Structures are given as C-alpha cells and as structure tokens.
C-alpha cells in the first residue's frame, strides 16, 4: 500500500511542478521557478521510493499517464486551454491503459 502512496505523491508533485512551468516564464520568474525545481525534486524522490517495490515500466506508465491527464485538466481549469474531442478521447485511452495495467497485468505487483 505504501508504494501507491509514494506514487500518488510523485504524481501530485509532478503535476504541480509542470503546472508552474508556464508561470515560470522560461525560468525568469523566481517563485514559479522554485516551485518547478522543488516539485520535480519531490516527484523524482517519491518515484524512486516507488521503484523499490514496483517495476519501473509499470510505475512510469502510471506516473506519466495519470500525470498527463491531470495536467490536461489543470491546463483547462487554470490556464483556460481548450480540450477538443481528440484530446479528450486520447486522455480516456490513457486512463483505460492505466486501468488495464492495474486490473489485468501480473507485472503490476499488487
């Protein structure tokens, strides 16, 4: 169960860091830049802890898939970016892929 907490923390930290990238204005704005650096450091730290008990391919698939969907939602809610039908369908496929890995893969180490 702890590996899932670590993975969730890694995902949240990565989403915060990636969301702050736009506000960092090419690392010229100090506070968002600090948030980016700290967020990615926290994300990789918790991802590394996750990898002690989960295969790297599975952990990375979940981390990047869930992170991609969450970033899409943050971009829509915070930055007003539009998500068209192909974007929404692609995100649905990502969610489906993560679900398939977790529900059916013997590699996912439940």
């Amino acid at each position: 169960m702890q590996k899932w907490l670590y993975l969730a923390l890694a995902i949240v930290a990565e989403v915060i860091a990636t969301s702050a990238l736009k506000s960092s204005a090419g690392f010229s704005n100090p506070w968002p830049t600090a948030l980016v650096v700290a967020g990615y450091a926290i994300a990789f730290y918790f991802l590394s802890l996750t990898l002690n008990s989960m295969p790297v391919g599975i952990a990375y698939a979940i981390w990047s898939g869930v992170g991609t969907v969450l970033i899409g939602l943050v971009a829509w809610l915070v930055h007003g970016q539009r998500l068209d039908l192909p974007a929404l369908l692609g995100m649905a496929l990502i969610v489906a892929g993560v679900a398939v890995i977790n529900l059916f893969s013997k590699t996912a180490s439940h």
Side-chain angles (χ1 to χ4, degrees):
M1 191 64 177
Q2 193 172 23
K3 66 184 170 195
W4 294 108
L5 175 62
Y6 291 157
L7 186 57
L9 290 170
I11 291 167
V12 169
E14 185 266 335
V15 168
I16 290 169
T18 301
S19 298
L21 273 173
K22 184 171 178 69
S23 300
S24 77
F27 294 126
S28 64
N29 194 347
W31 289 113
T33 297
L35 189 57
V36 169
V37 172
Y40 281 128
I42 292 166
F44 284 113
Y45 172 73
F46 281 109
L47 183 61
S48 73
L49 294 179
T50 303
L51 298 180
N52 289 329
S53 57
M54 185 182 290
V56 67
I58 299 300
Y60 191 78
I62 295 168
W63 182 61
S64 61
V66 173
T68 298
V69 171
L70 290 176
I71 287 297
L73 292 175
V74 168
W76 175 58
L77 293 170
V78 175
H79 299 293
Q81 296 177 358
R82 293 181 40 154
L83 298 173
D84 59 8
L85 183 60
L88 293 172
L89 289 173
M91 287 182 187
L93 289 170
I94 290 169
V95 170
V98 169
V100 166
I101 289 169
N102 282 298
L103 294 172
F104 302 110
S105 175
K106 292 180 183 7
T107 310
S109 69
H110 296 279

